Amino acid sequence: MKTASRWAIHVVPGLNSFAYGRIAIQGDAAHAMTPYNGSGVNQAIEDAYVLGRMLTHPKTTMETVESALKAYDSVRRERAQGVQELSLQLGRLATFTEDLQLQPGADPIAVTAARLEAAGIWVGEGDLEDDVRKAEENFTKFIAKA
Ligand SMILES: Cc1cc2nc3c(=O)[nH]c(=O)nc-3n(C[C@H](O)[C@H](O)[C@H](O)COP(=O)(O)OP(=O)(O)OC[C@H]3O[C@@H](n4cnc5c(N)ncnc54)[C@H](O)[C@@H]3O)c2cc1C
């Protein structure tokens, strides 16, 4: 082979948790995704931010760290896996393989463009500080139950 111009893109299928006891995973280890919306790195950074905030929380100790990691998982998994799914959908839209379920007379190009635009807005929305607050609330609940 003179040139290697094709390679496989491996993804992590939807995991049930990003935290297992005192072990947590983040970034591509947790949610490696297709590259179609260029969001793998930002999801890894969002993970790192929430995880860092939970690990430095004043109530995080050797006894409570499992609850801290569970709280990280409770806010990050749904979002990261949503972006993963969106990336797959964008790949289908960009290659015209998405089933658009068009109404009669609808313009497929206009529908595709609108979906691509809407997807970009969703990824950009959300407030990471809100996610941290939610994780902190869950942390308190998990400690109380443990
Ligand atoms: C083709 C393609 C295009 C992409 N384009 C974009 C884009 O435009 N925008 C975007 O945001 N994202 C993009 N991504 C995704 C992005 O590259 C990843 O989401 C991101 O790099 C994940 O970061 P990470 O730190 O979790 O993992 P990685 O970047 O994979 O870092 C893991 C590191 O751990 C090291 N390592 C592995 N095993 C060991 C070990 N046993 N001991 C020590 N070190 C080890 C590896 O060498 C590596 O340096 C793209 C991905 C692909 C495949």
Side-chain angles (χ1 to χ4, degrees), residues 54-133:
M54 295 318 299
L55 290 176
T56 55
H57 191 283
K59 286 187 184 155
T60 302
T61 64
M62 285 296 281
E63 285 68 42
T64 64
V65 71
E66 273 193 40
S67 295
L69 298 181
K70 214 168 128 187
Y72 150 76
D73 170 72
S74 73
V75 299
R76 285 300 308 149
R77 188 158 34 90
E78 190 180 338
R79 162 103 173 137
Q81 290 179 345
V83 175
Q84 231 181 349
E85 178 51 40
L86 187 69
S87 182
L88 277 175
Q89 194 197 5
L90 289 183
R92 292 193 298 267
L93 284 168
T95 53
F96 300 103
T97 53
E98 174 79 338
D99 177 6
L100 296 173
Q101 296 180 338
L102 293 172
Q103 300 295 326
D107 174 3
I109 299 296
V111 171
T112 299
R115 297 248 185 111
L116 288 169
E117 193 181 356
I121 291 169
W122 185 79
V123 172
E125 274 176 349
D127 183 339
L128 207 48
E129 288 300 335
D130 279 346
D131 290 348
V132 169
R133 273 189 288 277

Side-chain angles (χ1 to χ4, degrees), residues 7-10 26-45 47:
W7 62 94
I9 293 177
H10 298 285
Q26 64 161 94
D28 273 17
H31 46 71
M33 62 183 75
T34 55
Y36 302 112
N37 58 346
S39 287
V41 169
N42 67 49
Q43 287 310 296
I45 292 170
D47 288 346

